[in-house]
Amino acid sequence: QVQLVESGGGLVQAGGSLRLSCAASGSIFSINAMGWYRQAPGRQRELVAIITRGGVSNYADSVKGRFTISRDNGANTVYLQMNSLNPEDTAVYYCNAVGGWVNYWGQGTQVTVST
C-alpha cells in the first residue's frame, strides 16, 4: 500500500502561482510514475502532468509552459509548480502514484483561481 498526502492548494488571483506537494509513504519501492490530475465541477478527472522515476515528464496541452512537475526520489515527494494561473485551472488537484498495476490517489487539494 502507498499513502499520498497533498499540500499547497489555496486561493490565488489570476496570473499568480502556487506550488503543490505530494509526499508518498508506505510501499514506495513499488512506485514508478507519479503525477497530478485535476477535476473541476461537472467535469471528468483529467491528467495534468506525470513524471517517471527516471525523470521523464509529460504534460496536458492546457498547462504546457505554465506548470512544471518535479520529483525528489530521496524524499519520496512530487511537486507541481503552477505559474500564470487562470480561472480555468480551478479544480481539485489529486496526486497519483502508479505501482505495478495499482493506482494510488491522494485525498485532493482545492485550487481556486479568482479573476
Side-chain angles (χ1 to χ4, degrees), residues 84-101:
S84 301
L85 285 160
N86 59 62
E88 289 70 39
D89 296 315
T90 295
V92 178
Y93 284 70
Y94 296 92
C95 181
N96 170 265
V98 180
W101 296 104

Side-chain angles (χ1 to χ4, degrees), residues 11-82:
L11 173 65
V12 64
Q13 287 189 329
S17 298
L18 283 174
R19 188 191 195 207
L20 304 182
S21 300
C22 173
S25 62
S27 301
I28 55 176
F29 61 89
S30 69
I31 297 175
N32 296 314
M34 294 186 72
W36 292 93
Y37 287 70
R38 68 186 180 186
Q39 187 167 18
R43 302 187 67 174
Q44 290 188 333
R45 190 174 297 189
E46 63 176 2
L47 174 68
V48 176
I50 191 168
I51 187 167
T52 67
R53 179 176 287 275
V56 177
S57 59
N58 195 23
Y59 297 89
D61 288 342
S62 59
V63 307
K64 283 181 181 177
R66 300 188 299 121
F67 291 11
T68 302
I69 190 169
S70 59
R71 181 171 176 171
D72 184 338
N73 289 330
N76 304 311
T77 301
V78 65
Y79 305 95
L80 185 68
Q81 178 65 43
M82 304 185 293

